[in-house]
């Protein structure tokens, strides 16, 4: 019996995290920032044990859509618990931070 509930499991390898860098106009409308000229792209995880890990990110497509991603490696998603992540991008025009996102890493049996 399968139930696809999109759980993220402790020690998963290859889980993709996508972050979009946006800016808001005066009316609150979010617009992706062109990050195609980025000199540095990172995704920071604040783990359940309060430690931080910083991972080099890459473009999902060409950066014009403001999207970058990271695929987890062994040890990235341990320990189980509540996590936060945030993307950081540096371009010749400035430095931007994404919205902080929360996710849960569940233990395995």
């Amino acid at each position: 019996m399968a139930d696809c509930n999109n759980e993220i499991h402790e020690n998963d390898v290859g889980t993709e995290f996508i972050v979009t860098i946006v800016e808001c106009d005066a009316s609150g409308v979010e617009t992706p920032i062109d990050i195609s000229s980025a000199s540095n792209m990172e995704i920071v995880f604040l783990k359940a044990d309060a430690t931080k890990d910083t991972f080099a990110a890459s473009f999902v497509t060409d950066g014009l859509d403001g999207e970058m991603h990271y695929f987890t490696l062994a040890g990235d998603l341990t320990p189980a618990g509540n996590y936060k992540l945030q993307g950081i991008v540096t371009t010749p025009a400035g430095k931007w931070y994404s919205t902080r996102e929360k996710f849960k890493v569940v233990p395995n049996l």
Side-chain angles (χ1 to χ4, degrees), residues 9 12 17 25 34 41 50 53 95 98 105-106:
H9 296 94
D12 275 355
F17 287 88
D25 65 17
D34 175 359
M41 297 186 301
D53 280 338
K95 186 173 186 176
S98 74
V105 174
V106 297

Side-chain angles (χ1 to χ4, degrees), residues 47-52 78-80 82-83:
K47 294 181 162 195
D49 63 2
T51 60
K52 282 186 190 177
T78 188
N82 295 314
Y83 282 55

Side-chain angles (χ1 to χ4, degrees), residues 84-106:
K84 294 179 184 175
L85 69 80
Q86 186 172 39
I88 306 169
V89 173
T90 305
T91 72
K95 186 173 186 176
W96 288 273
Y97 295 81
S98 74
T99 302
R100 293 177 294 175
E101 301 289 338
K102 296 178 183 179
F103 64 97
K104 184 170 187 152
V105 174
V106 297

Side-chain angles (χ1 to χ4, degrees), residues 7-15 17 45 47 71-81 83 103-109:
E7 285 183 346
I8 298 171
H9 296 94
E10 186 173 18
N11 292 313
D12 275 355
V13 172
T15 300
F17 287 88
F45 283 12
K47 294 181 162 195
F71 292 91
T72 59
L73 301 174
D76 290 348
L77 297 174
T78 188
Y83 282 55
F103 64 97
K104 184 170 187 152
V105 174
V106 297
N108 296 303
L109 298 178

